[in-house]
Each structure stands twice: as structure tokens, then as C-alpha cells.
Amino acid sequence: MSITQDWNEKGLVETRVIDHLKRLGYTHVNGATIDEERSTQSEVVLRKRFMEALKRLNPWLSENNLNKVARSVTHMDATNVMEANQEFHELLINMMSVQQDLGKGRKNQTVKLIDFDNIDNNEFLVVDQFSITNALGTIRPDVMVFVNGLPLVVIECKSPTLPPDEQMSEGVKQLLRYQRGNEQLFYYNQFLIATSNDRAKTGTIGARLQHFSDWKDPYPKTVAEIGSSPSAQDILLTGVLEKERLFDIIQNFIVYEPTDGKIIKKMTRYQQYRAVNKAVHRILHADEPKNRGGVVWATQGSGKSLAMVFLATKLRRIERLENPTIVIVTDRQDLDRQITNTFRVCGFPNPQQAESVDELKTLLQQGPGTTVMTLVQKFQEADGEERYPELTTSENVIVMVDESHRTQYSTLAMNMRLAMPNATYIGFTGTPIDKEDKSTFRTFGPYIDKYTIEQAVEDGATVPIFYEARMVDLHVQGETIDALFDRYFRDYSEEDRERIKQKYATDEAITASPKRIRSIVLDMIEHYENYIRPNGFKAQVVAVSREAAVVYKQMLDELSDFESKVVISEGHNDDAEMKEHNLSKQEERQIIKRFKQPMDEDPLSFLIVCDKLLTGFDAPIEQVMYLDKPLKEHNLLQAIARTNRTYDKKSYGLIVDYYGVSRFLEEALGVFHKDDIKGAMHEIDEEMPRLESRHRQAMRFFDYINKENLEACLQVLEPEDVRNEFDTAFKKFSESMDMVLPNPKAKPYVEDLKWLGKIRKLAKSRYHMETGMDISDCGEKVKELIEEYVYATTPHVLVEPIDILSKRFEQKLDEIETPEAKAAEMEHAIKHEIRVKLDENPVLYTSLKERLEELIKKRKERQLTIEELLEEYHDMIDKMRSNAEESAEHGFEPEQYPFYQMLEKELEGYEDDNVKELTHIITEIIQDNAVIDWTFKDDVKREMRKRIKRQLRASNCPSKQVESLARQLMELAEVHYKHIAY
């Protein structure tokens, strides 16, 4: 990093962060000053300050219990960082207990780590340049936030002089490197921030860039209250790190959700935080119960279900509300299941799903603290009941109604209000409210919060939806349909003929005709095969009727090899053909689960539906909906939103309209305020100006250079910063091409796309780029064009990087003429080897990495001649090659030697024979405990780590090193002995 760039990062970002937090009441301490308090540089919790806080918040704690609590927090025994993080979050908000006699016998007493109720009882520090060292090296996060000595927030600052597209991606990559380099720091982390002042995002541990989000509203403050022209950084810091806000987020707006066998940590987005707190404010401050409710409009796909979990969590915690009864009401079984499941997997305590009309009545009379999930249909009168009974008159009941626009004006909704006349009713909807029809307002009250379609796309909470009409011409051969009717039904009166026509020659009958469906399916298969399937995405087909859905299935099976499933309701009089597709609830759930899996894990490509799965169905892998049904108003907006969920490498959703719903879409959008539905759908033509601009940005790197001269083009990309800029420009160009293809308007750019892809791939080979310069992140249809072109035109050039340890590498070097080019090849090869092997042998490759960085620095400063540099590089390569021989000389197998090197480094001053013996014992422990797939089994890893720690203590390893050394040895074990039991 240059001095100028360092100054930009420090002066324009880091210092501004610190000054902002000081204004919020944080105390600033430099990392070097804090070091004086720490016993070692591996310490991540400021133990002295933590102990002082424990005594201040729990003055009754005995010395013994004080040490016990401190140790249990600073030495957490977990198999992975997410498990430790979740366990610590639980301790933080629900506190921990110790046994102690406070005068009434020995009982469990609750210990606070943080005083959430009295903010001023806590110590808030902002610390810059805090160094943390372990066997993998030293990390130095730019800014950290400590509360009572606990490192709760890590902030990574990036220079605003970096290209705009790289500022956040580089910040998040750095945060991920910190997480790999020092897991223990992130046991305690609540959330992370990446900032360049002009841009700022927040996310949680393990999250990639696409899961970091902006914080655009500092609610309850306004942007104007922060100051004149505040930056994105100023708004985010105020929004999440004002002391009260920080505690609120930690307590009420963080959940851990099991997904596909792993835990994902999720924190609130700004719109969820704002909506929940506005709802809470209205509940607490309205003058009477009927004015406490309202409507929260959160665009489909922007996290409505999670917002309901956050609201329920916060309502439970507010003492003034005295643990209210919470009732979650939906109108569809799939939604009821989905929301109940969301509450359960996010750890919300004991949500009870009403299984019957009678059970609902029982649950609603249980009193405070109950959480009830129900369908509105269960609010029906029992046989003989003239009026639905009043079940509770309590004002301490909060009812959240999902998709509140659909069934909330019926007698069932009236019954719900008869059952709970004094309850607060909050409607959550994913589509806006009609501007003419105020019935939703009358039912629930005015808007609490709005998060529009355009805002959601702009924030990256959803992807834009593109619309494409592919109409099928219907022709009756020979005669008009009217003439055919007159001929077939000539014996009937004109009046009877008209009635027959109205009853049987309906739009639905024509739409469901097998010949028409066959024509559509042929077009659909070609479209899916060429433009959706290559990207790894899946499709939903919406048929006009249950019978038409089955015909679609039959045609898809006949005309393609794509696997499809029909998900429709069961009919009472179904014939054998229809009964084949009747599904039990379990079978339907299994099909939906399969559909959500990545294509390489499950080939189920099409779901064919009629009415089901058009609302409340969340499958981010679905990119296209083939629509052949006259949906209208809310139902149409709900249905098209199935394609707007974010997913890796998905930049848009697509509606392919075979029915002609655009006129209904115009009607549906016409009943809403223009601002509310702005950006609901885009024509593909709208992408063309952006495509033209992105094409120019990608091609400008090679202006004034002969495109036939590959060597000259590759030399342009030799500097790493230029390569990264080109990489970003190419990705954006290919993303726009992915959206526009197969539209013929993309044709003028196809050849340039192929050529740029070829240059990009050759640059990967030349510069040994493991990440970044790779076309795997492009849309597959773009990738196929590039692959086809590269392999068709230059197969002889595309060689993979040669293994640095092989003799072929020396031969390759001999072919290079200039010493500068030779040094460049060796530097890139050494970097590649270090990157690949660092996990296998962190001690050796960390030292080589540091040596390489020193050599590059010296060469830049002209302290080394090119000949001296080449000699040093040869020496490094020899060191890598001789490592295997050294292993045998010391009496170790190749997989044992990295353990010996680590122990030798960490146990400085120990006799060499003792270190060798300990290496053999540790690797025997690992082999004895390893079973098939042991790296995925937490109980096995826990036992292995326990035995390693026991052995380290028995070998007189210093107690302060046992924990970190055991963790490093376990990481090595997972690399070298992963497949030992196979």
C-alpha cells in the first residue's frame, strides 16, 4: 500500500470512524496502549477490563466465581467459530449462572456480562490498530469496538481512492481473512462493518459480500440530525453503533438459522429494524388499543418473516408489555408452515401451531407468554354457534397478520376480532395497498412503514424482475370458430348455441388445448435449455388449470429430459390420470426441498403449478416463471415475486408470459401509487444503455493496442491493480450480456465478449491467479461463449500453471529470455504455491510468505539487483522442495512433519527429542480418534481436542498456550488426516 493510499485510508476513513464514535460517547484508546494491559498478544478479550466490569455489574460475586466466569468466557470450548459465537451470544443476552450463597443457601445466581438496562454501567471503547498474534501470524483490524473488554464489533476501513466497485469487496475479503487467521476473535463478534466512508456495509461472521447490507436510515434519528451531507459511513455508524442501538440489535435483531446442515447468523437489515421499532413505538404510545395497529409493507423477498420474528422477540422483552400473547395469522397452509418454521429455527421460544378450530380456542385462552400460529380459516364458528365466542378481553395481545390484503375483510377476520376485541392488529404485506380502496387501512390502521420494490432492488435485498412476452398464435384451420359452432350445433337454436359457446368455448378451454401447450412447451424447453439451465437456475410453470398442469408435465416428459413435478390441489372426483399427481403433505414438502437444492445436487428443474406455491413460496434458485394463466392484482404481483429472491450469481428474475398478463399487470400496478410500484418490472430493452456503457468500460483497457498481439494485451494486465480493475469491468459487462441474451440486440457485442474472455483466461494462466481472474463467476451462457471461443482459437496457449516443485518448472524458466520476466514468473509461481499450501504447513509457508513480501519490498526500493532477487527466489524454491527430505531425515511421515514444525516453533527451548516424541503422540491421538467423516462430527472433534489438550498439559506446555496450540493442531489434523478412515 502506498503512503498516499495509507493516508487516505487512515485520514479519510479510520480517523473519521474514531471521531464519530467518540461523539457517540465511546472512549478512544490506541492499540499500543492497550497492549500494556494484555498478558500476551494472543489475548482477544481485555481480561482486566472484563473482570472489573463483572465486579461492577455483579458486586456479590466471590473471587472464586469471578475467576470461573472469566475463564468460561475467555476459554470457550467449541468445535467451530459459529458454535462458539452462538453460545457467547446466548450468554450475553440470557446471562449465565453460578452457584453461590447470598445468605439464603447455595443457589444458582445470574451473572450479567453487560447491563443492557443501564447503558452507563458499561464501558465502551473504540480501539485502533489492535494486534493479535497466533501461529498463523498477526492480524491487525483497523478499528474494534469493545464493551466491558469484550470485542463485539470489527471495522475494516478501505481507501476511498480504490475503484468504487472494489472498496466493499476488498473490505469484506479482508474481514474473511481475519476470520480464517484468528477464529478466537470472532467467538465474541456481534457484527462486522466494512467502510470506505463513501460506502459502508454491515454483515455477520461467515458472510460473503452479497450478504453484507447498506444501512441507509439511522432511525430513530433522521439523516439531517447526523449533520450536513453525512456519508454512508456516518449514517451506518449512527444507525448501528449508537449505544442504545447497539444493545437493541444484539438483544433483539440477531438470529441463528440452520440451513442445509450448517448455521447461518443473520442480523437485521435497516428496513426491518425501522419497521419493528416503529411498530413498537406505536404499540407503546398510542392513546387506545384500536390505534396501536397498522400496516407494514415489506416488498416480497425482503425479509418479512424475519421482521415478524424480530418484532415478537422485542415485544417479549419489553417489561411494560408484561409478556404479551402473540398471535401470528396467515391464510394459506404453506405460509403457516413457513412462518412457524422460521420462528422455530431462529430459536424463538415455544411457538404453538393450532392444529384445529378447538385447539385454537384453547391456546388463545392460555394468557400471557403464549405464542400462537394459526390459519385465519380456524376462526370459524362451531356447529350450532350463532356468534364466535369472545376468548380474551386482554389488551395485552398482539396479532400479526401476514399478507393482510387477502382475507382480512371476511367473516373469518370478523370472528378473529370478536375473539380478541382489545388486541392490537398489525398487518404485514408484501404488496402495496390500493390507492382507491382503503379497506386495509380501515381494518389495521395507517402504514407503520413502507419498503418499496425499487428500494429493495437498489439495496440488493431482491433482484430486478424482467418481463418478456412470448405469445402463441391460435389458428382454427379452414373456418372461424363461430362458423364451426354453427355447423356442429346447427340443430340448436341461436340462443342455445350462444349459451354453449359461453360455457364451453372459454379462454381457459382454449388456453388448455394440448396443441397449444405442445407449442409452448417446445418454445419453453428451448428457452430454458439455452438461457436458464446453463446458469444453474430452475423454473416454475403456472398453468391455467389443474388439468392443464398435468398436460404440461406430460409434454415436458415427452419432449425433454428435464425432470419436472406437478404440485396441485387434490380433487374429489379426480380420474386415474389426475390421481397420479396427488401428493401427501410430506411428499409435497420433499419435492419443494428438492427444488431448492443446487442443480448439481438435485436435477429437479421444473415445478408445474396452478394455484399452489404462488405465494409464500421462497426458492431463491428459481430464476424464471413461465406464466400461462390470467392472474390479476395482488395475486399477479405476489406470483411474479417468486423470481426476485437473491442467489449466488443471480442478477435478475424473469417472467416469460405466454398468456398475455401484461394488460392485467398494467391494471394491477395502476391501482397503486406510482412511487410504491416503481421498478416492479423491467423490459429487457432497459438494460441496453447500461450494456453499451459497460462494454466501453471493459474495452478501454486495450485502446491503441493491436488486438491480434496477445502478448501486448497481456502486458497491459501485468500490474495487479490493473488486472483487478479489468476484472471488475469484465464482470459487469458479462452480467449485462447475461441479462440481454438471447435478444438480438446483444449480437454486436458477442465477438468482443468472446475476445475479452479469452484475454481474461490467458491472464489467469500467465499470472497464476487462483481467484478473481476466472470466468466461473460469469453467467453460464456468457461463459459458454467464452469457453467455446478460447478453446476454438487458442488451445495451444491454455496451459495450466506448472507445479513449482516439478522439473518442468525449470524447463519453463529456461525458455524465458529476460531476467525480469524470469523473476516475474518465479514470483507468481511462489505466490501460487504459498496460497495453495498455507493450510498444509502454516509454519513453513507463513515464513516463506513473509520472506517473499520482504524481497518484493527490497526490490521495489532498489535494495536488490535482479540477479540477487533471482538467487533468493531459487533459494526459496529449494526450501520448498527440500521440505519432504527434511521430514524423512527427522523420522516423520510427510503428514506428520508440519505438526513437528508447529510444535518446534511454539515450544521454544524444548529439547528436540521431546518435541519429536510429542509429535508422534499427538498424531497417534488424531489417528486413534478419526472415524469416517470425523471432520463433520462435533462430538469426535471435541474428544480429539480434549485429548490433545490433556497431552499438551502433560508435556508441560505453558497453560496460556494450550488453548491456541490445540486449536492450531486441530486445524492441521483436518487438513492432513481428513480421509484417514476411508
Side-chain angles (χ1 to χ4, degrees):
M1 185 185 290
S2 69
I3 292 170
T4 308
Q5 194 174 13
D6 185 47
W7 182 85
N8 285 331
E9 187 176 296
K10 179 91 176 151
L12 299 180
V13 188
E14 194 176 308
T15 302
R16 187 166 174 157
V17 169
I18 293 165
D19 290 344
H20 193 111
L21 292 181
K22 282 160 69 176
R23 288 195 295 277
L24 295 180
Y26 289 69
T27 302
H28 173 224
V29 184
N30 185 267
T33 307
I34 285 284
D35 282 349
E36 296 168 14
E37 302 177 15
R38 300 159 73 196
S39 56
T40 69
Q41 280 227 323
S42 64
E43 192 177 280
V44 297
V45 173
L46 305 179
R47 187 179 170 86
K48 183 179 167 216
R49 291 173 187 266
F50 179 50
M51 298 277 276
E52 286 170 357
L54 285 175
K55 285 189 273 193
R56 184 171 65 251
L57 303 182
N58 312 279
W60 48 268
L61 261 181
S62 67
E63 196 66 28
N64 185 41
N65 274 335
L66 178 67
N67 289 319
K68 190 184 291 184
V69 170
R71 179 167 181 77
S72 65
V73 171
T74 56
H75 293 74
M76 298 187 71
D77 192 14
T79 55
N80 60 60
V81 66
M82 189 61 80
E83 181 188 308
N85 191 279
Q86 185 174 4
E87 189 181 314
F88 175 72
H89 183 259
E90 189 72 20
L91 290 177
L92 209 54
I93 59 172
N94 293 330
M95 299 178 277
M96 58 191 299
S97 63
V98 294
Q99 285 210 334
Q100 191 170 320
D101 187 351
L102 298 182
K104 295 183 179 177
R106 192 172 176 78
K107 294 179 182 176
N108 278 339
Q109 312 293 345
T110 303
V111 179
K112 288 182 186 176
L113 307 185
I114 283 178
D115 190 343
F116 287 105
D117 300 321
N118 303 290
I119 290 174
D120 293 339
N121 270 356
N122 305 283
E123 180 192 47
F124 293 81
L125 292 185
V126 52
V127 180
D128 58 326
Q129 303 304 322
F130 182 82
S131 298
I132 310 154
T133 302
N134 65 11
L136 296 178
T138 297
I139 65 169
R140 190 178 294 107
D142 293 328
V143 181
M144 290 175 58
V145 169
F146 289 85
V147 178
N148 296 342
L150 299 165
L152 301 189
V153 182
V154 175
I155 304 174
E156 180 61 22
C157 303
K158 286 295 165 192
S159 171
T161 61
L162 283 172
D165 291 334
E166 292 180 22
Q167 292 168 16
M168 290 301 91
S169 64
E170 288 302 313
V172 173
K173 281 179 193 170
Q174 184 65 60
L175 289 167
L176 287 166
R177 282 194 289 270
Y178 290 155
Q179 290 167 62
R180 290 192 294 271
N182 197 308
E183 283 193 353
Q184 194 185 4
L185 172 63
F186 296 92
Y187 287 2
Y188 310 97
N189 182 266
Q190 297 308 294
F191 54 84
L192 306 155
I193 294 170
T195 178
S196 65
N197 189 49
D198 298 331
R199 290 160 189 79
K201 289 180 180 288
T202 182
T204 58
I205 60 167
R208 306 273 159 187
L209 178 61
Q210 64 264 35
H211 298 299
F212 272 66
S213 57
D214 301 330
W215 198 281
K216 294 186 175 180
D217 187 339
Y219 182 87
K221 281 195 170 179
T222 63
V223 171
E225 285 176 301
I226 298 174
S228 61
S229 304
S231 65
Q233 174 177 292
D234 298 332
I235 294 168
L236 183 141
L237 293 176
T238 303
V240 302
L241 285 180
E242 201 167 63
K243 293 176 182 178
E244 188 178 336
R245 224 71 58 238
L246 172 63
F247 280 6
D248 191 18
I249 290 170
I250 291 170
Q251 278 192 295
N252 304 309
F253 291 91
I254 288 173
V255 294
Y256 295 81
E257 191 171 336
T259 306
D260 297 330
K262 60 181 179 181
I263 303 290
I264 305 291
K265 182 178 183 179
K266 295 183 178 181
M267 73 176 285
T268 180
R269 291 175 179 262
Y270 77 88
Q271 78 275 6
Q272 294 165 323
Y273 183 82
R274 181 183 64 203
V276 167
N277 278 298
K278 280 185 175 181
V280 168
H281 184 269
R282 190 175 289 185
I283 290 167
L284 292 176
H285 296 99
D287 48 2
E288 53 183 310
K290 69 176 184 181
N291 296 329
R292 298 196 303 176
V295 179
V296 173
W297 170 30
T299 292
Q300 289 291 331
S302 63
K304 183 159 48 75
S305 298
L306 266 186
M308 295 169 83
V309 174
F310 294 144
L311 177 56
T313 301
K314 182 150 186 174
L315 293 173
R316 278 267 178 272
R317 217 179 290 283
I318 297 171
E319 281 187 29
R320 185 173 146 194
L321 293 177
E322 298 174 340
N323 202 13
T325 297
I326 293 172
V327 185
I328 311 293
V329 182
T330 62
D331 66 346
R332 306 250 170 123
Q333 285 188 341
D334 50 359
L335 271 180
D336 188 35
R337 278 197 303 272
Q338 177 201 339
I339 290 181
T340 302
N341 188 52
T342 300
F343 269 69
R344 281 183 179 145
V345 300
C346 290
F348 192 86
N350 198 28
Q352 299 177 76
Q353 197 170 11
E355 299 293 342
S356 66
V357 172
D358 288 338
E359 187 184 6
L360 174 61
K361 290 176 180 175
T362 303
L363 292 174
L364 291 179
Q365 294 176 85
Q366 285 183 344
T370 309
T371 303
V372 181
M373 329 293 284
T374 183
L375 288 164
V376 71
Q377 288 82 350
K378 291 192 167 68
F379 284 98
Q380 57 183 272
E381 296 96 341
D383 291 340
E385 272 184 349
E386 290 184 15
R387 173 188 167 97
Y388 198 85
E390 187 179 84
L391 299 175
T392 174
T393 57
S394 173
E395 294 183 3
N396 194 25
V397 177
I398 315 289
V399 182
M400 298 184 216
V401 182
D402 189 30
E403 295 307 344
S404 52
H405 53 75
R406 281 202 299 249
T407 50
Q408 287 309 303
Y409 322 124
S410 66
T411 54
L412 294 169
M414 178 187 72
N415 288 348
M416 178 169 70
R417 284 160 173 77
L418 289 173
M420 302 171 285
N422 298 320
T424 297
Y425 291 87
I426 297 176
F428 282 79
T429 179
T431 48
I433 293 170
D434 302 5
K435 61 186 177 190
E436 300 301 331
D437 179 8
K438 301 296 183 188
S439 50
T440 307
F441 285 147
R442 284 199 301 272
T443 306
F444 292 98
Y447 275 130
I448 292 171
D449 191 57
K450 287 200 290 187
Y451 186 57
T452 66
I453 296 163
E454 190 176 33
Q455 286 170 331
V457 171
E458 188 184 313
D459 292 346
T462 61
V463 296
I465 303 172
F466 283 80
Y467 171 85
E468 184 179 342
R470 297 169 81 88
M471 300 302 291
V472 180
D473 288 330
L474 295 174
H475 299 287
V476 179
Q477 291 175 338
E479 301 183 64
T480 68
I481 200 161
D482 285 341
L484 276 175
F485 258 88
D486 290 342
R487 185 182 296 274
Y488 271 91
F489 299 102
R490 59 185 178 276
D491 295 337
Y492 290 79
S493 69
E494 188 176 332
E495 188 180 319
D496 286 342
R497 283 203 301 269
E498 192 58 39
R499 283 195 297 114
I500 291 167
K501 197 185 299 182
Q502 285 177 1
K503 184 170 183 181
Y504 296 108
T506 60
D507 279 351
E508 182 176 311
I510 294 168
T511 302
S513 77
K515 282 186 180 177
R516 177 182 175 279
I517 290 177
R518 174 179 282 268
S519 172
I520 288 174
V521 168
L522 283 167
D523 183 71
M524 188 190 297
I525 290 167
E526 185 181 359
H527 181 273
Y528 181 78
E529 213 161 47
N530 292 329
Y531 308 116
I532 306 298
R533 175 66 183 85
N535 286 334
F537 295 123
K538 300 190 179 184
Q540 191 172 359
V541 181
V542 184
V544 71
S545 65
R546 296 166 60 251
E547 292 74 17
V550 171
V551 176
Y552 264 107
K553 165 71 175 163
Q554 291 165 345
M555 297 284 184
L556 268 170
D557 289 351
E558 179 190 336
L559 300 171
S560 80
D561 293 325
F562 294 122
E563 186 180 354
S564 61
K565 291 287 184 184
V566 176
V567 181
I568 52 177
S569 305
E570 194 172 326
H572 294 302
N573 302 309
D574 281 347
D575 58 24
E577 191 175 66
M578 293 296 294
K579 279 182 178 174
E580 276 183 42
H581 302 286
N582 290 347
L583 301 169
S584 67
K585 286 182 181 179
Q586 182 57 37
E587 287 170 330
E588 185 178 315
R589 280 197 285 269
Q590 189 58 33
I591 286 170
I592 291 169
K593 184 179 179 183
R594 287 187 57 204
F595 184 72
K596 292 181 180 183
Q597 297 303 309
M599 193 69 81
D600 56 2
E601 292 179 26
D602 196 302
L604 176 56
S605 304
F606 286 83
L607 283 188
I608 306 166
V609 304
C610 171
D611 292 312
K612 284 193 166 193
L613 308 187
L614 296 181
T615 58
F617 173 58
D618 193 0
I621 199 169
E622 179 183 326
Q623 184 179 36
V624 64
M625 175 178 281
Y626 296 109
L627 189 54
D628 192 23
K629 177 174 179 165
L631 295 173
K632 296 184 180 181
E633 296 177 355
H634 290 100
N635 289 333
L636 177 55
L637 292 183
Q638 292 265 332
I640 65 177
R642 297 312 101 207
T643 66
N644 78 348
R645 280 24 178 199
T646 58
Y647 193 78
D648 189 30
K649 298 174 190 170
K650 177 177 168 184
S651 52
Y652 64 98
L654 180 63
I655 304 301
V656 177
D657 175 14
Y658 289 107
Y659 189 88
V661 300
S662 60
R663 65 184 186 277
F664 301 133
L665 184 63
E666 286 168 19
E667 289 169 16
L669 299 179
V671 299
F672 305 122
H673 288 283
K674 281 186 179 176
D675 288 347
D676 290 351
I677 46 79
K678 192 175 174 187
M681 295 274 269
H682 304 267
E683 296 287 343
I684 282 178
D685 284 358
E686 291 177 29
E687 185 64 22
M688 289 307 298
R690 193 157 62 154
L691 171 61
E692 290 163 13
S693 168
R694 288 177 167 184
H695 167 257
R696 182 71 208 102
Q697 288 298 313
M699 292 298 293
R700 70 182 168 82
F701 290 88
F702 308 101
D703 287 348
Y704 316 115
I705 291 175
N706 180 357
K707 306 294 186 294
E708 299 299 315
N709 187 341
L710 285 180
E711 195 57 41
C713 293
L714 288 174
Q715 281 175 15
V716 170
L717 300 179
E718 200 278 331
E720 193 169 349
D721 57 338
V722 175
R723 273 203 312 277
N724 290 338
E725 279 184 49
F726 169 69
D727 202 44
T728 301
F730 179 83
K731 284 178 188 174
K732 290 195 171 297
F733 174 42
S734 65
E735 181 185 278
S736 285
M737 283 292 280
D738 196 55
M739 285 186 188
V740 175
L741 286 167
N743 193 305
K745 291 183 179 179
K747 195 171 188 305
Y749 306 99
V750 168
E751 289 307 312
D752 282 345
L753 177 71
K754 290 177 178 179
W755 183 81
L756 288 166
K758 167 185 170 181
I759 294 297
R760 192 173 187 242
K761 193 148 191 176
L762 292 173
K764 177 192 174 189
S765 177
R766 167 67 59 85
Y767 301 115
H768 296 240
M769 295 298 295
E770 276 296 297
T771 56
M773 299 284 288
D774 179 5
I775 64 170
S776 63
D777 48 10
C778 307
E780 282 293 327
K781 41 189 167 171
V782 171
K783 183 179 172 184
E784 282 176 7
L785 280 173
I786 295 163
E787 291 280 13
E788 177 191 342
Y789 186 72
V790 170
Y791 284 101
T793 58
T794 58
H796 58 285
V797 185
L798 285 175
V799 290
E800 283 302 307
I802 296 171
D803 183 356
I804 197 171
L805 305 184
S806 75
K807 289 180 181 175
R808 284 178 61 223
F809 183 70
E810 296 294 343
Q811 293 166 8
K812 185 178 179 183
L813 284 181
D814 290 340
E815 292 165 11
I816 299 173
E817 293 177 8
T818 68
E820 285 78 10
K822 214 171 258 191
E825 180 65 37
M826 292 174 80
E827 178 191 320
H828 288 297
I830 292 168
K831 279 182 179 175
H832 174 80
E833 188 74 9
I834 289 171
R835 193 182 295 118
V836 170
K837 300 282 181 66
L838 188 62
D839 287 345
E840 292 179 24
N841 194 333
V843 174
L844 172 64
Y845 286 97
T846 300
S847 69
L848 289 172
K849 181 169 175 272
E850 289 167 356
R851 185 174 168 192
L852 179 64
E853 287 167 355
E854 183 64 24
L855 290 173
I856 293 169
K857 184 181 172 189
K858 281 185 175 180
R859 176 63 183 158
K860 280 182 181 173
E861 294 170 354
R862 303 285 189 269
Q863 294 179 26
L864 282 178
T865 65
I866 191 66
E867 291 76 17
E868 289 170 332
L869 183 65
L870 285 170
E871 192 177 329
E872 291 280 1
Y873 283 168
H874 275 296
D875 187 50
M876 289 181 73
I877 292 169
D878 288 342
K879 177 72 178 165
M880 292 179 195
R881 288 174 175 167
S882 65
N883 196 54
E885 294 164 17
E886 284 180 23
S887 170
E889 285 171 15
H890 283 82
F892 292 115
E893 295 297 322
E895 64 269 18
Q896 290 180 302
Y897 197 47
F899 290 84
Y900 167 73
Q901 289 172 300
M902 180 172 283
L903 290 167
E904 183 186 40
K905 176 177 175 287
E906 292 293 315
L907 303 177
E908 213 174 333
Y910 278 55
E911 292 286 333
D912 189 51
D913 287 346
N914 292 342
V915 177
K916 285 181 177 176
E917 185 184 355
L918 180 57
T919 303
H920 285 295
I921 294 170
I922 294 286
T923 51
E924 278 173 25
I925 289 172
I926 292 163
Q927 292 174 79
D928 289 347
N929 280 264
V931 294
I932 290 175
D933 288 339
W934 71 269
T935 55
F936 300 103
K937 297 177 178 176
D938 289 349
D939 54 338
V940 176
K941 286 157 73 175
R942 197 176 288 114
E943 179 60 27
M944 190 183 288
R945 183 187 296 185
K946 194 185 294 179
R947 288 188 60 188
I948 289 172
K949 288 199 297 196
R950 194 181 299 145
Q951 183 57 50
L952 289 174
R953 290 191 185 99
S955 301
N956 297 319
C957 174
S959 58
K960 65 184 179 184
Q961 285 180 254
V962 167
E963 196 71 40
S964 68
L965 185 51
R967 186 170 61 254
Q968 291 168 65
L969 291 167
M970 283 295 294
E971 286 166 2
L972 272 183
E974 291 193 34
V975 174
H976 290 285
Y977 292 99
K978 183 174 184 176
H979 303 298
I980 191 168
Y982 279 60

